[in-house]
Amino acid sequence: RLEGRRSRPTSRAMARAGVELVRALLLVLLYLCVGTGAFSMDAVPIEDMHDDFADGKIDVLVDIRTGTEWAQGHVPGAMFIRNLLWKPERLKDLDDLFATCARPGRRWENKTKATLKVAIMCRTSYRCERCDNLFDESGYTKAVRPLDGEGFPTWREKFPDEVSMDSYPGLQSFSEAFGCGPLQSSVGALVDVAASAQRVDGRTASSGNIMHRAI
């Protein structure tokens, strides 16, 4: 009898352990399934990104770093979407640019979001990787990022003569300089911040600063 009484708790404990094991396995499977689909953006060497951008094989290079990082140097001709990882709604800037450049007679008139080659730049590719779903769900399925550990510092090291310190002119001016003309009002209202005496990432900045959407 005593042995029978002792066996019951042991059986219940084993049953609970079995349930917990099944739960753990399901969580692992869920993580693997989500993880497999979450980070599918192609990663390329920074040299390949440089060459493709120079040859026009990359339609637009998007820098998603902070304002402070941008001010310390960036790729000439890059589009700046500040702090995109933390402010995903700012991807609308790229949507606005695409809508403008895809008009008849513009440089992307034969492009769709799915065929647009977008390169994304940060410091180590970590933020680019974390933005994978954002670009994918927005239709930019050909977006690429640098290899893990590579980013703008790698670009600066390998191509020191191809680094700009210019302030970002704002999306409206960028679109015009990009050859797409002024943004249509139907695309969306753009907010430019004055380049002289503004706050960038919590710090006061002066004449060499960035123009960007206000937080």
Side-chain angles (χ1 to χ4, degrees), residues 153-173:
T154 315
W155 179 291
R156 183 195 291 273
E157 178 185 349
K158 293 182 178 295
F159 311 106
D161 295 332
E162 297 182 51
V163 173
S164 175
M165 305 295 290
D166 295 340
S167 61
Y168 187 61
L171 184 55
Q172 181 80 313
S173 297

Side-chain angles (χ1 to χ4, degrees), residues 61-76 78-87 90 120-128 131 146 150-156 162-166 200-201 210 212:
L61 192 153
V62 180
D63 191 318
I64 64 170
R65 297 176 300 155
T66 67
T68 300
E69 289 175 302
W70 173 276
Q72 293 171 349
H74 50 271
V75 176
M79 179 183 185
F80 184 39
I81 305 183
R82 184 171 58 97
N83 288 347
L84 182 62
L85 178 59
W86 299 283
K87 296 285 186 178
R90 289 177 176 164
I120 310 170
M121 176 77 72
C122 66
R123 187 172 66 87
T124 64
S125 197
Y126 174 84
R127 282 169 281 181
C128 298
C131 285
E150 293 191 347
F152 181 71
T154 315
W155 179 291
R156 183 195 291 273
E162 297 182 51
V163 173
S164 175
M165 305 295 290
D166 295 340
V200 178
D201 297 293
I210 304 92
H212 51 66

Side-chain angles (χ1 to χ4, degrees), residues 72-160:
Q72 293 171 349
H74 50 271
V75 176
M79 179 183 185
F80 184 39
I81 305 183
R82 184 171 58 97
N83 288 347
L84 182 62
L85 178 59
W86 299 283
K87 296 285 186 178
E89 66 274 11
R90 289 177 176 164
L91 191 62
K92 183 180 180 297
D93 281 7
L94 181 57
D95 292 336
D96 290 348
L97 183 68
F98 175 78
T100 302
C101 293
R103 288 178 293 168
R106 304 297 181 181
R107 64 187 300 167
W108 293 344
E109 64 174 332
N110 296 318
K111 294 278 186 177
T112 65
K113 285 186 177 182
T115 61
L116 194 72
K117 188 69 173 290
V118 181
I120 310 170
M121 176 77 72
C122 66
R123 187 172 66 87
T124 64
S125 197
Y126 174 84
R127 282 169 281 181
C128 298
E129 184 181 21
R130 292 301 178 269
C131 285
D132 176 274
N133 277 346
L134 178 61
F135 281 86
D136 192 50
E137 291 170 4
S138 298
Y140 303 105
T141 54
K142 290 191 70 176
V144 298
R145 63 176 178 86
L147 294 174
D148 292 347
E150 293 191 347
F152 181 71
T154 315
W155 179 291
R156 183 195 291 273
E157 178 185 349
K158 293 182 178 295
F159 311 106

Side-chain angles (χ1 to χ4, degrees), residues 16-90:
R16 284 196 297 270
V19 170
E20 292 300 322
L21 178 60
V22 170
R23 286 178 180 172
L25 289 173
L26 288 174
L27 287 173
V28 170
L29 288 173
L30 179 62
Y31 172 82
L32 290 174
C33 290
V34 173
T36 300
F39 305 127
S40 58
M41 187 183 293
D42 288 341
V44 300
I46 205 74
E47 295 91 344
D48 291 356
M49 183 176 289
H50 168 273
D51 293 347
D52 286 349
F53 188 51
D55 293 341
K57 295 178 182 178
I58 288 175
D59 296 303
V60 61
L61 192 153
V62 180
D63 191 318
I64 64 170
R65 297 176 300 155
T66 67
T68 300
E69 289 175 302
W70 173 276
Q72 293 171 349
H74 50 271
V75 176
M79 179 183 185
F80 184 39
I81 305 183
R82 184 171 58 97
N83 288 347
L84 182 62
L85 178 59
W86 299 283
K87 296 285 186 178
E89 66 274 11
R90 289 177 176 164

